[in-house]
Coordinates of all heavy atoms in Angstrom, one line a residue:
M427 N 89.3 76.0 28.3 CA 88.2 75.8 29.3 C 87.1 75.0 28.6 O 86.7 75.3 27.5 CB 87.7 77.1 29.8 CG 86.6 77.0 30.8 SD 86.1 78.6 31.5 CE 87.6 79.3 32.1
T428 N 86.7 73.9 29.2 CA 85.7 73.1 28.6 C 84.3 73.7 28.9 O 84.2 74.6 29.7 CB 85.6 71.7 29.3 OG1 85.2 71.8 30.7 CG2 87.0 71.0 29.2
P429 N 83.3 73.4 28.1 CA 82.0 73.9 28.3 C 81.4 73.7 29.7 O 80.8 74.5 30.3 CB 81.1 73.2 27.3 CG 82.0 72.9 26.1 CD 83.3 72.6 26.8
S430 N 81.8 72.5 30.3 CA 81.4 72.2 31.6 C 82.0 73.1 32.6 O 81.3 73.6 33.6 CB 81.7 70.7 32.0 OG 81.4 70.5 33.3
E431 N 83.3 73.4 32.5 CA 84.0 74.3 33.4 C 83.4 75.8 33.2 O 83.3 76.5 34.2 CB 85.5 74.4 33.1 CG 86.2 73.1 33.5 CD 87.7 73.1 33.0 OE1 87.9 73.5 31.9 OE2 88.5 72.6 33.8
L432 N 83.2 76.1 32.0 CA 82.6 77.5 31.7 C 81.3 77.6 32.4 O 81.0 78.6 33.1 CB 82.4 77.7 30.2 CG 82.0 79.1 29.8 CD1 82.8 79.5 28.6 CD2 80.5 79.1 29.5
K433 N 80.4 76.6 32.3 CA 79.1 76.7 33.0 C 79.2 76.7 34.5 O 78.6 77.5 35.2 CB 78.2 75.5 32.6 CG 77.7 75.6 31.1 CD 76.7 74.5 30.8 CE 77.3 73.1 30.7 NZ 76.4 72.1 30.2
T434 N 80.1 75.9 35.0 CA 80.3 75.9 36.5 C 80.9 77.2 37.0 O 80.3 77.7 38.0 CB 81.3 74.7 36.9 OG1 80.7 73.5 36.4 CG2 81.5 74.7 38.4
N435 N 81.9 77.7 36.4 CA 82.5 78.9 36.9 C 81.6 80.1 36.7 O 81.5 80.9 37.6 CB 83.8 79.2 36.1 CG 84.9 78.2 36.4 OD1 84.8 77.5 37.4 ND2 86.0 78.2 35.6
F436 N 80.9 80.2 35.6 CA 80.0 81.3 35.4 C 78.9 81.3 36.4 O 78.5 82.3 37.0 CB 79.4 81.3 33.9 CG 78.5 82.4 33.7 CD1 79.0 83.7 33.4 CD2 77.1 82.3 33.8 CE1 78.2 84.8 33.2 CE2 76.3 83.3 33.6 CZ 76.8 84.6 33.3
A437 N 78.3 80.1 36.6 CA 77.2 80.0 37.6 C 77.6 80.4 39.0 O 76.9 81.2 39.7 CB 76.6 78.6 37.6
R438 N 78.8 79.9 39.4 CA 79.3 80.2 40.7 C 79.5 81.7 40.9 O 79.1 82.4 41.9 CB 80.6 79.5 41.0 CG 81.1 79.6 42.5 CD 82.5 79.1 42.7 NE 83.4 80.0 42.0 CZ 84.2 79.6 41.0 NH1 84.2 78.3 40.6 NH2 85.0 80.4 40.4
N439 N 80.2 82.3 39.9 CA 80.5 83.7 40.0 C 79.3 84.6 39.8 O 79.2 85.7 40.5 CB 81.6 84.1 38.9 CG 82.9 83.4 39.2 OD1 83.2 83.1 40.3 ND2 83.6 83.1 38.1
L440 N 78.4 84.3 39.0 CA 77.1 85.0 38.9 C 76.3 85.0 40.2 O 75.9 86.0 40.7 CB 76.3 84.5 37.7 CG 74.9 85.2 37.5 CD1 75.1 86.7 37.3 CD2 74.2 84.6 36.4
R441 N 76.2 83.8 40.7 CA 75.5 83.7 42.0 C 76.2 84.5 43.1 O 75.5 85.2 43.9 CB 75.5 82.2 42.4 CG 74.6 82.0 43.7 CD 74.4 80.5 43.9 NE 73.5 79.9 43.0 CZ 73.8 79.1 42.0 NH1 75.1 78.6 41.9 NH2 72.9 78.6 41.2
Y442 N 77.5 84.5 43.2 CA 78.2 85.3 44.1 C 77.9 86.8 43.9 O 77.6 87.5 44.9 CB 79.7 85.1 44.0 CG 80.5 86.0 44.9 CD1 80.8 85.6 46.2 CD2 81.1 87.2 44.4 CE1 81.5 86.4 47.1 CE2 81.8 88.0 45.3 CZ 82.0 87.6 46.6 OH 82.8 88.4 47.4
L443 N 78.0 87.3 42.7 CA 77.8 88.7 42.4 C 76.3 89.1 42.7 O 76.1 90.2 43.2 CB 78.1 89.0 40.9 CG 79.6 89.0 40.6 CD1 79.8 89.1 39.1 CD2 80.3 90.2 41.3
M444 N 75.4 88.2 42.5 CA 74.0 88.5 42.8 C 73.8 88.6 44.3 O 73.1 89.5 44.8 CB 73.1 87.4 42.2 CG 73.0 87.5 40.7 SD 72.1 86.2 39.9 CE 70.5 86.6 40.5
I445 N 74.5 87.7 45.1 CA 74.3 87.8 46.5 C 75.0 89.1 47.1 O 74.4 89.8 47.9 CB 75.0 86.5 47.2 CG1 74.1 85.3 46.9 CG2 75.1 86.7 48.7 CD1 74.8 84.0 47.2
V446 N 76.2 89.3 46.7 CA 76.9 90.5 47.2 C 76.2 91.8 46.8 O 76.2 92.7 47.7 CB 78.4 90.5 46.6 CG1 79.1 91.8 46.9 CG2 79.2 89.4 47.2
N447 N 75.6 91.9 45.7 CA 74.9 93.1 45.2 C 73.4 93.1 45.5 O 72.7 94.0 45.1 CB 75.2 93.3 43.7 CG 76.6 93.7 43.5 OD1 77.0 94.8 43.7 ND2 77.4 92.7 43.0
R448 N 73.0 92.0 46.2 CA 71.6 91.9 46.5 C 70.7 92.1 45.3 O 69.7 92.9 45.3 CB 71.2 92.8 47.6 CG 72.0 92.5 48.9 CD 71.6 93.4 50.0 NE 72.4 93.1 51.2 CZ 72.1 93.5 52.4 NH1 71.0 94.3 52.6 NH2 72.8 93.2 53.4
V449 N 71.0 91.3 44.3 CA 70.2 91.4 43.0 C 69.5 90.0 42.8 O 70.1 89.0 42.9 CB 71.2 91.6 41.8 CG1 70.4 91.6 40.5 CG2 71.8 93.0 42.0
T450 N 68.2 90.1 42.6 CA 67.4 88.9 42.3 C 67.5 88.5 40.8 O 67.9 89.4 40.0 CB 66.0 89.1 42.7 OG1 65.4 90.0 41.9 CG2 65.8 89.4 44.2
V451 N 67.1 87.3 40.5 CA 67.0 86.9 39.1 C 66.1 87.9 38.3 O 66.4 88.3 37.2 CB 66.5 85.4 39.0 CG1 66.2 85.1 37.5 CG2 67.6 84.5 39.5
K452 N 64.9 88.2 39.0 CA 64.0 89.1 38.3 C 64.6 90.4 38.0 O 64.4 91.0 37.0 CB 62.7 89.2 39.2 CG 61.6 90.0 38.6 CD 60.4 90.0 39.5 CE 59.3 90.9 38.8 NZ 58.1 90.9 39.6
Q453 N 65.3 91.0 39.0 CA 65.9 92.3 38.8 C 66.9 92.3 37.7 O 67.0 93.2 36.9 CB 66.6 92.8 40.1 CG 65.7 93.2 41.2 CD 66.4 93.4 42.5 OE1 67.2 92.6 42.9 NE2 66.0 94.5 43.2
L454 N 67.8 91.2 37.7 CA 68.8 91.1 36.7 C 68.2 91.0 35.3 O 68.7 91.6 34.4 CB 69.7 89.9 37.0 CG 70.9 89.7 36.1 CD1 71.8 90.9 36.1 CD2 71.7 88.4 36.5
A455 N 67.1 90.2 35.2 CA 66.4 90.0 34.0 C 65.9 91.3 33.5 O 66.0 91.7 32.3 CB 65.3 89.0 34.1
T456 N 65.3 92.1 34.3 CA 64.7 93.4 33.9 C 65.8 94.3 33.5 O 65.6 95.0 32.5 CB 63.9 93.9 35.1 OG1 62.8 93.0 35.5 CG2 63.3 95.3 34.8
E457 N 66.8 94.4 34.3 CA 67.9 95.4 34.0 C 68.7 95.1 32.8 O 69.2 96.0 32.1 CB 68.8 95.5 35.2 CG 68.2 96.1 36.4 CD 67.9 97.6 36.3 OE1 68.7 98.3 35.7 OE2 66.9 98.0 36.9
T458 N 68.8 93.8 32.4 CA 69.7 93.4 31.3 C 68.9 93.0 30.1 O 69.5 92.7 29.0 CB 70.6 92.2 31.7 OG1 69.8 91.1 32.1 CG2 71.6 92.6 32.8
N459 N 67.6 92.9 30.2 CA 66.8 92.4 29.1 C 67.1 90.9 28.7 O 67.0 90.6 27.6 CB 66.9 93.3 27.9 CG 65.7 94.3 27.8 OD1 64.8 94.2 28.5 ND2 65.9 95.3 26.9
I460 N 67.5 90.2 29.7 CA 67.7 88.7 29.5 C 66.6 88.0 30.2 O 66.3 88.3 31.3 CB 69.1 88.3 30.1 CG1 70.2 89.0 29.4 CG2 69.3 86.8 30.0 CD1 71.6 88.8 30.1
C461 N 66.0 87.1 29.5 CA 64.9 86.3 30.1 C 65.3 85.7 31.4 O 66.3 85.0 31.5 CB 64.4 85.2 29.1 SG 63.2 84.1 29.6
S462 N 64.4 85.8 32.4 CA 64.7 85.2 33.7 C 64.8 83.7 33.6 O 65.6 83.1 34.4 CB 63.6 85.6 34.7 OG 62.4 85.1 34.3
R463 N 64.1 83.1 32.8 CA 64.3 81.6 32.6 C 65.7 81.3 32.1 O 66.3 80.3 32.6 CB 63.2 81.1 31.6 CG 63.3 79.6 31.4 CD 62.3 79.1 30.4 NE 61.0 79.2 31.0 CZ 59.9 78.9 30.4 NH1 59.9 78.4 29.2 NH2 58.7 79.0 31.1
N464 N 66.2 82.1 31.2 CA 67.6 81.8 30.8 C 68.6 82.0 31.9 O 69.6 81.3 32.1 CB 68.0 82.7 29.6 CG 67.3 82.2 28.3 OD1 66.9 81.1 28.2 ND2 67.2 83.1 27.4
I465 N 68.4 83.1 32.7 CA 69.3 83.3 33.9 C 69.2 82.1 34.8 O 70.3 81.6 35.3 CB 69.0 84.6 34.6 CG1 69.2 85.8 33.6 CG2 69.7 84.8 35.9 CD1 68.8 87.1 34.1
D466 N 68.0 81.6 35.1 CA 67.9 80.4 35.9 C 68.7 79.2 35.3 O 69.3 78.5 36.1 CB 66.4 80.0 36.1 CG 65.7 81.0 37.0 OD1 66.3 81.5 38.0 OD2 64.4 81.1 36.9
R467 N 68.6 79.1 34.0 CA 69.3 78.0 33.4 C 70.8 78.2 33.5 O 71.6 77.2 33.6 CB 68.9 77.9 31.9 CG 67.5 77.3 31.8 CD 67.1 77.3 30.3 NE 65.7 76.7 30.2 CZ 64.9 77.0 29.2 NH1 65.2 77.8 28.3 NH2 63.7 76.5 29.2
Y468 N 71.3 79.4 33.4 CA 72.8 79.6 33.5 C 73.2 79.3 35.0 O 74.2 78.7 35.2 CB 73.1 81.1 33.2 CG 72.7 81.6 31.9 CD1 72.3 82.9 31.7 CD2 72.7 80.8 30.8 CE1 71.9 83.4 30.5 CE2 72.3 81.2 29.5 CZ 71.9 82.5 29.4 OH 71.5 83.0 28.2
L469 N 72.4 79.7 35.9 CA 72.7 79.4 37.3 C 72.6 77.9 37.6 O 73.4 77.4 38.5 CB 71.7 80.2 38.3 CG 71.9 81.7 38.3 CD1 70.8 82.4 39.0 CD2 73.2 82.0 39.0
A470 N 71.8 77.2 37.0 CA 71.6 75.8 37.2 C 72.6 75.0 36.3 O 72.6 73.7 36.3 CB 70.2 75.3 36.8
Q471 N 73.5 75.7 35.6 CA 74.5 75.1 34.7 C 73.9 74.2 33.6 O 74.5 73.3 33.2 CB 75.5 74.3 35.5 CG 76.2 75.1 36.6 CD 77.1 74.3 37.5 OE1 77.7 73.4 37.0 NE2 77.1 74.7 38.7
E472 N 72.7 74.6 33.2 CA 72.0 73.8 32.1 C 72.4 74.3 30.7 O 72.4 73.5 29.8 CB 70.5 73.9 32.2 CG 70.0 73.3 33.5 CD 68.5 73.5 33.7 OE1 67.9 74.1 32.8 OE2 68.0 73.1 34.8
N473 N 72.7 75.6 30.6 CA 73.1 76.2 29.3 C 74.4 77.0 29.4 O 74.7 77.5 30.4 CB 72.0 77.2 28.9 CG 70.7 76.6 28.5 OD1 70.6 75.4 28.5 ND2 69.7 77.4 28.2
V474 N 75.2 77.0 28.3 CA 76.3 77.8 28.2 C 75.8 79.2 27.8 O 75.0 79.3 26.8 CB 77.3 77.3 27.1 CG1 78.5 78.3 26.9 CG2 77.9 75.9 27.6
I475 N 76.2 80.2 28.5 CA 75.8 81.6 28.2 C 76.4 82.1 26.9 O 77.6 82.0 26.7 CB 76.0 82.5 29.4 CG1 75.4 83.9 29.1 CG2 77.5 82.6 29.7 CD1 75.4 84.8 30.3
P476 N 75.6 82.7 26.0 CA 76.2 83.3 24.8 C 77.0 84.5 25.2 O 76.7 85.2 26.2 CB 74.9 83.7 24.0 CG 73.8 83.0 24.6 CD 74.1 82.7 26.0
M477 N 78.0 84.8 24.3 CA 78.9 85.9 24.6 C 78.2 87.3 24.8 O 78.5 88.1 25.7 CB 80.0 86.0 23.5 CG 81.0 87.1 23.8 SD 82.0 86.8 25.3 CE 83.0 85.4 24.8
D478 N 77.2 87.6 24.0 CA 76.5 88.9 24.1 C 75.8 89.0 25.4 O 75.8 90.1 26.0 CB 75.5 89.1 22.9 CG 74.4 88.1 22.9 OD1 74.6 86.9 23.1 OD2 73.3 88.5 22.5
K479 N 75.2 87.9 26.0 CA 74.6 88.0 27.3 C 75.6 88.1 28.4 O 75.4 88.8 29.4 CB 73.7 86.7 27.5 CG 72.7 86.5 26.4 CD 71.7 87.6 26.3 CE 70.6 87.2 25.3 NZ 69.9 88.4 24.8
M480 N 76.7 87.4 28.2 CA 77.8 87.5 29.2 C 78.3 89.0 29.3 O 78.6 89.5 30.4 CB 79.0 86.6 28.8 CG 80.0 86.4 29.9 SD 81.3 85.3 29.5 CE 80.5 83.9 28.8
V481 N 78.4 89.6 28.2 CA 78.9 91.0 28.2 C 77.9 91.9 28.9 O 78.2 92.8 29.7 CB 79.1 91.5 26.7 CG1 79.3 93.0 26.7 CG2 80.3 90.8 26.1
Q482 N 76.6 91.7 28.6 CA 75.5 92.4 29.3 C 75.6 92.3 30.8 O 75.5 93.3 31.6 CB 74.1 92.0 28.9 CG 73.8 92.5 27.5 CD 72.4 91.9 27.1 OE1 72.4 90.8 26.5 NE2 71.4 92.6 27.4
I483 N 75.8 91.0 31.3 CA 75.9 90.8 32.7 C 77.1 91.4 33.3 O 77.1 92.0 34.4 CB 75.8 89.3 33.0 CG1 74.3 88.8 32.7 CG2 76.1 88.9 34.4 CD1 74.1 87.3 32.7
A484 N 78.3 91.2 32.6 CA 79.5 91.8 33.1 C 79.4 93.4 33.2 O 79.8 93.9 34.2 CB 80.7 91.5 32.2
D485 N 78.8 94.0 32.2 CA 78.6 95.4 32.3 C 77.7 95.8 33.4 O 77.9 96.8 34.1 CB 77.9 95.9 31.0 CG 78.9 95.9 29.8 OD1 80.2 95.8 30.1 OD2 78.5 96.1 28.7
Y486 N 76.6 95.0 33.7 CA 75.7 95.3 34.8 C 76.4 95.3 36.1 O 76.2 96.2 36.9 CB 74.5 94.3 34.8 CG 73.6 94.5 35.9 CD1 72.6 95.6 35.9 CD2 73.6 93.7 37.0 CE1 71.8 95.8 36.9 CE2 72.8 94.0 38.1 CZ 71.9 95.0 38.1 OH 71.0 95.2 39.1
F487 N 77.2 94.3 36.3 CA 77.9 94.2 37.6 C 79.3 95.0 37.6 O 80.0 94.9 38.6 CB 78.2 92.7 38.0 CG 76.9 92.0 38.4 CD1 76.3 91.1 37.6 CD2 76.3 92.3 39.6 CE1 75.2 90.4 38.0 CE2 75.2 91.7 40.0 CZ 74.6 90.7 39.2
N488 N 79.6 95.6 36.5 CA 80.8 96.4 36.4 C 82.1 95.6 36.7 O 82.9 95.9 37.5 CB 80.8 97.6 37.4 CG 81.8 98.6 37.1 OD1 82.3 98.8 36.0 ND2 82.3 99.3 38.1
V489 N 82.1 94.4 36.1 CA 83.2 93.5 36.1 C 83.6 93.1 34.7 O 82.9 93.3 33.8 CB 82.9 92.2 36.9 CG1 82.6 92.5 38.4 CG2 81.8 91.4 36.3
N490 N 84.9 92.6 34.6 CA 85.2 92.1 33.2 C 84.8 90.7 33.0 O 84.4 90.0 34.0 CB 86.7 92.3 33.0 CG 87.6 91.5 33.9 OD1 87.3 90.3 34.1 ND2 88.6 92.1 34.5
I491 N 84.8 90.3 31.8 CA 84.3 88.9 31.5 C 85.1 87.8 32.2 O 84.6 86.8 32.6 CB 84.2 88.7 30.0 CG1 83.2 89.6 29.4 CG2 84.0 87.2 29.6 CD1 83.1 89.6 27.9
G492 N 86.4 88.1 32.3 CA 87.3 87.1 33.0 C 86.8 86.9 34.4 O 87.0 85.8 34.9
S493 N 86.3 87.9 35.1 CA 85.8 87.7 36.4 C 84.6 86.8 36.5 O 84.4 86.1 37.5 CB 85.3 89.1 37.0 OG 86.4 89.9 37.1
L494 N 83.9 86.7 35.4 CA 82.7 85.8 35.4 C 83.1 84.3 35.1 O 82.4 83.4 35.4 CB 81.7 86.2 34.4 CG 81.0 87.6 34.7 CD1 80.2 88.0 33.5 CD2 80.1 87.4 35.9
L495 N 84.3 84.2 34.5 CA 84.7 82.8 34.0 C 85.8 82.2 34.8 O 86.0 81.0 34.7 CB 85.2 82.9 32.6 CG 84.1 83.4 31.6 CD1 84.7 83.5 30.2 CD2 82.9 82.5 31.6
T496 N 86.5 82.9 35.7 CA 87.6 82.4 36.4 C 87.2 81.6 37.6 O 86.1 81.8 38.2 CB 88.6 83.6 36.8 OG1 89.8 83.0 37.3 CG2 88.0 84.5 37.8
K497 N 88.1 80.8 38.1 CA 87.9 80.1 39.4 C 88.3 81.0 40.5 O 87.9 80.8 41.6 CB 88.7 78.8 39.4 CG 88.1 77.7 38.6 CD 89.0 76.4 38.8 CE 88.3 75.2 38.2 NZ 89.0 74.0 38.5
G498 N 89.2 81.9 40.3 CA 89.7 82.8 41.3 C 88.7 83.8 41.8 O 87.6 84.0 41.3
N499 N 89.1 84.6 42.8 CA 88.3 85.6 43.3 C 88.8 87.0 42.9 O 89.5 87.7 43.7 CB 88.2 85.6 44.9 CG 87.6 84.3 45.3 OD1 86.6 83.9 44.8 ND2 88.1 83.7 46.4
I500 N 88.4 87.5 41.7 CA 88.8 88.8 41.3 C 87.5 89.6 41.0 O 87.3 90.0 39.9 CB 89.7 88.7 40.1 CG1 89.1 87.9 38.9 CG2 91.1 88.2 40.4 CD1 89.8 88.1 37.6
Y501 N 86.7 89.8 42.0 CA 85.4 90.5 41.8 C 85.5 92.0 42.1 O 86.3 92.4 43.0 CB 84.4 89.9 42.7 CG 84.2 88.4 42.5 CD1 84.6 87.5 43.5 CD2 83.7 87.9 41.4 CE1 84.5 86.2 43.3 CE2 83.6 86.6 41.2 CZ 84.0 85.7 42.2 OH 83.9 84.4 42.0
K502 N 84.8 92.8 41.5 CA 84.6 94.2 41.8 C 83.1 94.5 41.8 O 82.5 94.9 40.8 CB 85.3 95.1 40.7 CG 85.3 96.5 41.0 CD 85.9 97.3 39.8 CE 85.6 98.8 40.0 NZ 86.0 99.5 38.8
P503 N 82.5 94.3 43.0 CA 81.1 94.6 43.0 C 80.7 96.0 42.7 O 81.4 96.9 43.0 CB 80.7 94.2 44.5 CG 81.9 93.4 45.0 CD 83.1 93.9 44.2
K504 N 79.5 96.1 42.1 CA 78.9 97.4 41.7 C 78.5 98.1 43.0 O 78.0 97.5 43.9 CB 77.7 97.1 40.9 CG 77.0 98.4 40.3 CD 75.9 97.9 39.4 CE 75.1 99.1 38.9 NZ 74.0 98.7 38.1
S505 N 78.8 99.4 43.1 CA 78.5 100.2 44.3 C 77.1 100.6 44.3 O 76.6 101.2 43.3 CB 79.4 101.4 44.3 OG 79.1 102.2 45.4
H506 N 76.4 100.3 45.3 CA 75.0 100.7 45.5 C 74.9 101.7 46.6 O 73.8 101.9 47.2 CB 74.1 99.5 45.7 CG 73.9 98.6 44.6 ND1 73.2 98.9 43.5 CD2 74.5 97.4 44.3 CE1 73.3 97.9 42.6 NE2 74.1 97.0 43.1
G507 N 76.0 102.4 47.0 CA 75.9 103.3 48.1 C 76.2 102.7 49.5 O 76.3 103.4 50.4
A508 N 76.2 101.4 49.5 CA 76.4 100.7 50.8 C 77.3 99.5 50.5 O 77.4 99.0 49.4 CB 75.1 100.2 51.4
T509 N 78.0 99.1 51.5 CA 78.9 97.9 51.3 C 78.1 96.7 51.7 O 77.6 96.5 52.8 CB 80.1 98.0 52.2 OG1 80.8 99.2 51.9 CG2 81.1 96.9 52.0
A510 N 78.0 95.7 50.8 CA 77.4 94.5 51.0 C 78.4 93.4 51.5 O 79.5 93.4 50.9 CB 76.7 94.0 49.8
V511 N 78.1 92.7 52.5 CA 79.0 91.7 53.0 C 78.3 90.3 52.9 O 77.2 90.2 53.4 CB 79.4 92.0 54.4 CG1 80.3 90.9 55.0 CG2 80.0 93.3 54.6
P512 N 78.9 89.4 52.1 CA 78.2 88.0 52.1 C 78.2 87.4 53.4 O 79.2 87.5 54.2 CB 79.1 87.3 51.1 CG 80.4 88.0 51.0 CD 80.1 89.4 51.4
V513 N 77.2 86.7 53.8 CA 77.0 86.1 55.1 C 76.6 84.6 54.9 O 75.7 84.4 54.1 CB 76.0 86.8 55.9 CG1 75.7 86.1 57.2 CG2 76.3 88.2 56.2
L514 N 77.2 83.7 55.5 CA 76.8 82.3 55.5 C 76.0 82.1 56.7 O 76.3 82.4 57.8 CB 78.1 81.4 55.5 CG 79.0 81.5 54.3 CD1 80.2 80.6 54.5 CD2 78.3 81.1 53.1
G515 N 74.8 81.5 56.5 CA 73.9 81.3 57.6 C 72.9 82.3 57.8 O 72.5 83.0 56.8
Y516 N 72.4 82.6 59.0 CA 71.4 83.5 59.2 C 71.9 84.8 59.9 O 72.9 84.7 60.7 CB 70.3 82.9 60.1 CG 69.7 81.7 59.5 CD1 70.1 80.4 59.7 CD2 68.6 81.9 58.6 CE1 69.5 79.3 59.1 CE2 68.0 80.8 57.9 CZ 68.5 79.5 58.2 OH 67.9 78.5 57.6
V517 N 71.2 85.9 59.7 CA 71.6 87.1 60.3 C 70.5 87.5 61.3 O 69.3 87.4 61.0 CB 71.8 88.3 59.3 CG1 72.1 89.6 60.0 CG2 72.9 87.9 58.3

């Protein structure tokens, strides 16, 4: 996997997990001790995420690292007591 593919896949999958779990950048930063500016950079595909940060994020969302890097849909959202359903458009 090229660095470009890694950045693209990670950003897409992280954004998806954040939407499904209703987690903001600020919340993720606070919970994982990762600077919110760095999370923004990962989402914007500006930086390749270091392995230790990737492990922290995978642990937070209760997924394996492969789920963050793959093009496929193998997600296991963290349970918050309710089922979150991604919605396109307005509710």
Side-chain angles (χ1 to χ4, degrees):
M427 180 177 306
T428 67
S430 177
E431 290 172 320
L432 186 137
K433 289 188 287 188
T434 300
N435 292 347
F436 181 81
R438 186 192 70 241
N439 294 333
L440 177 57
R441 186 170 289 110
Y442 175 85
L443 288 170
M444 290 174 69
I445 290 169
V446 167
N447 290 285
R448 297 182 181 195
V449 174
T450 65
V451 170
K452 184 177 179 179
Q453 289 171 314
L454 183 60
T456 300
E457 295 288 327
T458 60
N459 263 347
I460 299 172
C461 175
S462 60
R463 181 179 291 180
N464 286 338
I465 294 171
D466 284 331
R467 288 178 179 152
Y468 305 145
L469 290 169
Q471 303 175 35
E472 294 173 7
N473 291 356
V474 174
I475 185 168
M477 184 59 72
D478 62 322
K479 305 297 183 198
M480 191 180 313
V481 169
Q482 286 176 270
I483 290 173
D485 288 346
Y486 177 78
F487 286 110
N488 194 30
V489 297
N490 63 45
I491 292 173
S493 296
L494 294 172
L495 299 177
T496 187
K497 282 185 173 183
N499 294 320
I500 55 169
Y501 305 109
K502 181 183 172 193
K504 185 176 177 181
S505 174
H506 291 288
T509 303
V511 178
V513 177
L514 297 176
Y516 298 97
V517 177

